[in-house]
């Protein structure tokens, strides 16, 4: 009996990307061996860490993360083409994997990015992992685009947030896709206001102000005005959504609609949809919940996954 080449598709989804960790842990628990990984944006990041042998370190990093840590990795620079340079985010992969070249990964990995001028989907599977990651995660308007092979590239989620077709074209016999956008559009307008939430919010607010002060110090005489503007963007009590929330929510909706259309023509063998509808774009400090939900979702579908594997093996 021949073992199938199993492809794992890790979708884009910003902070919800932590759910991919839980999915992978469940697959490993049941001995499901992955033969190829395709990813977009957050999915590219987790895919690179897993393929490079650094998933445990990423999990620890995620669980230790709070708002201060989140903001410290947003290297705010106000460049011409985006609010955040994104160098620190990409460099995290080097810290966790010690691998910089696709060719040295334990599992073949293909990242998806988008040519910002032509709208063409660009697949990245050779050369520098960190450079490719900067492109695949370059959320338009937030992170600056990345120039690779004379193409200005942005987030792969712009054209293909769940690259199932890329995985199929890579020769996967069975495709498991993780859609962390399944509940992207939610009716939940406000966060819960219970005592635990308020206490945690106050703690995060203190740390947020510390980071804002450090940013303000960097900008000299104009720092006070800049700090005030940043404070307005992030405050939870503002009368209107801050700019990052507007961009994040708009991208959420766009990617969800694209996924719905793509799933009509490219269907995975198993589709996993963790329920994370109330997690916002920048809720990176909610890793424990996202990881747990990813794990539970994969466990629930494990009989289907194992059945697909058995059926393929018995027929080949």
């Amino acid at each position: 009996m021949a073992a199938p080449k199993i492809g794992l598709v890790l979708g884009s989804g910003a902070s919800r990307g932590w759910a991919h960790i839980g999915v992978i842990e469940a697959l490993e628990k049941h001995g499901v061996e992955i033969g190829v990984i395709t990813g977009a944006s957050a999915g590219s990041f987790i895919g690179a860490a897993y393929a490079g042998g650094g998933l445990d370190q990423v999990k620890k990093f995620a669980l230790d993360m709070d708002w201060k840590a989140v903001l410290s990795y947003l290297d705010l620079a106000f460049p011409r083409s985006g609010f955040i340079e994104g160098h620190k985010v990409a460099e995290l992969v080097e810290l966790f994997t010690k691998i910089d070249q696709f060719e040295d990964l334990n599992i073949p990995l293909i990242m998806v990015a988008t040519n910002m001028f032509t709208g063409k989907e660009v697949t990245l599977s050779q050369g520098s992992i960190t450079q490719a990651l900067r492109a695949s995660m370059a959320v338009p308007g937030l992170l600056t685009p990345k120039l690779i092979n004379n193409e200005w590239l942005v987030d792969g989620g712009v054209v293909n947030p769940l690259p199932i077709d890329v995985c199929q074209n890579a020769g996967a016999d069975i495709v498991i896709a993780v859609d962390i956008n399944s509940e992207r559009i939610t009716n939940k307008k406000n966060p819960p206001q219970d005592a635990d939430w308020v206490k945690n919010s106050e703690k995060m607010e203190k740390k947020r102000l510390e980071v804002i002060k450090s940013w303000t110090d960097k900008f000299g005489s104009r720092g006070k005005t800049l700090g005030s503007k940043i404070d307005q963007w992030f405050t939870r009590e503002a009368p209107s959504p801050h700019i990052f929330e507007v961009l994040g929510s708009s991208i959420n909706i766009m990617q969800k609609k694209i996924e719905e259309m793509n799933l009509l023509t490219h269907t995975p063998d198993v589709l996993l949809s963790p329920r994370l509808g109330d997690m916002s774009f920048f809720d990176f400090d909610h890793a424990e919940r996202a990881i747990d939900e990813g794990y539970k979702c994969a466990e629930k579908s494990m009989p289907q996954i194992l059945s697909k594997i058995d059926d393929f093996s018995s027929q080949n």
Side-chain angles (χ1 to χ4, degrees):
M1 295 189 297
K5 180 179 181 179
I6 300 174
L8 180 62
V9 183
L10 303 177
S12 64
S15 65
R16 300 183 190 194
W18 297 136
H20 294 316
I21 297 175
V23 170
I24 292 170
E25 287 182 337
L27 293 173
E28 286 195 322
K29 174 186 173 182
H30 291 273
V32 178
E33 184 175 346
I34 302 302
V36 62
I37 302 170
T38 61
S41 199
S44 294
F45 175 71
I46 299 300
Y50 178 46
L55 192 68
D56 289 341
Q57 294 95 314
V58 171
K59 181 179 180 180
K60 183 179 185 305
F61 169 81
L63 294 175
D64 291 341
M65 182 171 267
D66 55 22
W67 252 107
K68 185 174 182 179
V70 173
L71 294 177
S72 71
Y73 280 95
L74 304 182
D75 41 347
L76 198 69
F78 292 98
R80 176 177 175 178
S81 52
F83 286 109
I84 302 165
E85 287 286 7
H87 297 310
K88 292 183 180 180
V89 175
E91 289 169 0
L92 287 174
V93 173
E94 290 182 325
L95 295 175
F96 296 136
T97 67
K98 308 298 183 183
I99 295 175
D100 186 57
Q101 300 295 309
F102 278 93
E103 293 78 6
D104 296 327
L105 292 171
N106 301 323
I107 304 170
L109 170 66
I110 305 172
M111 298 184 193
V112 174
T114 306
N115 183 309
M116 65 173 291
F117 291 110
T118 66
K120 180 184 71 173
E121 177 180 306
V122 177
T123 56
L124 303 167
S125 59
Q126 297 179 329
S128 171
I129 295 171
T130 54
Q131 296 300 305
L133 187 64
R134 269 288 288 112
S136 185
M137 296 180 67
V139 179
L142 292 180
L143 274 72
T144 55
K146 183 64 180 177
L147 183 64
I148 297 180
N149 297 329
N150 295 317
E151 291 185 285
W152 282 106
L153 303 180
V154 294
D155 197 302
V158 172
V159 292
N160 199 352
L162 191 63
I164 296 167
D165 57 325
V166 177
C167 196
Q168 293 170 336
N169 293 336
D173 298 309
I174 297 174
V175 174
I176 302 170
V178 187
D179 176 15
I180 50 177
N181 289 322
S182 61
E183 293 186 344
R184 257 280 159 83
I185 303 170
T186 176
N187 293 323
K188 192 169 187 178
K189 298 180 180 179
N190 299 303
Q193 298 292 322
D194 57 29
D196 290 338
W197 184 90
V198 172
K199 182 179 179 180
N200 190 46
S201 177
E202 291 173 350
K203 183 178 179 181
M204 291 192 296
E205 180 74 2
K206 181 179 179 180
K207 293 179 178 179
R208 178 181 66 83
L209 292 175
E210 290 175 0
V211 176
I212 289 173
K213 183 179 183 302
S214 70
W215 283 345
T216 301
D217 292 343
K218 291 180 181 180
F219 288 92
S221 60
R222 296 185 179 180
K224 185 175 182 180
T225 300
L226 179 61
S228 177
K229 291 296 182 183
I230 294 173
D231 191 53
Q232 290 176 23
W233 293 344
F234 282 97
T235 181
R236 296 175 183 270
E237 291 77 22
S240 62
H242 57 66
I243 189 169
F244 288 169
E245 186 177 1
V246 172
L247 286 170
S249 180
S250 299
I251 292 168
N252 289 351
I253 295 170
M254 175 195 73
Q255 291 184 345
K256 174 60 179 173
K257 295 301 182 182
I258 293 172
E259 278 189 10
E260 289 175 350
M261 290 186 291
N262 288 351
L263 283 168
L264 294 176
T265 54
H266 302 290
T267 305
D269 295 282
V270 181
L271 180 62
L272 305 180
S273 302
R275 305 193 64 180
L276 297 168
D278 58 342
M279 277 188 69
S280 68
F281 199 85
F282 280 102
D283 281 343
F284 291 101
D285 54 324
H286 294 185
E288 182 174 5
R289 181 193 159 211
I291 293 171
D292 288 345
E293 176 57 28
Y295 183 87
K296 292 175 183 176
C297 180
E299 280 287 341
K300 185 176 180 180
S301 295
M302 197 57 62
Q304 180 187 6
I305 294 172
L306 297 178
S307 176
K308 293 281 185 182
I309 295 172
D310 289 342
D311 289 346
F312 179 92
S313 298
S314 63
Q315 296 172 12
N316 293 272

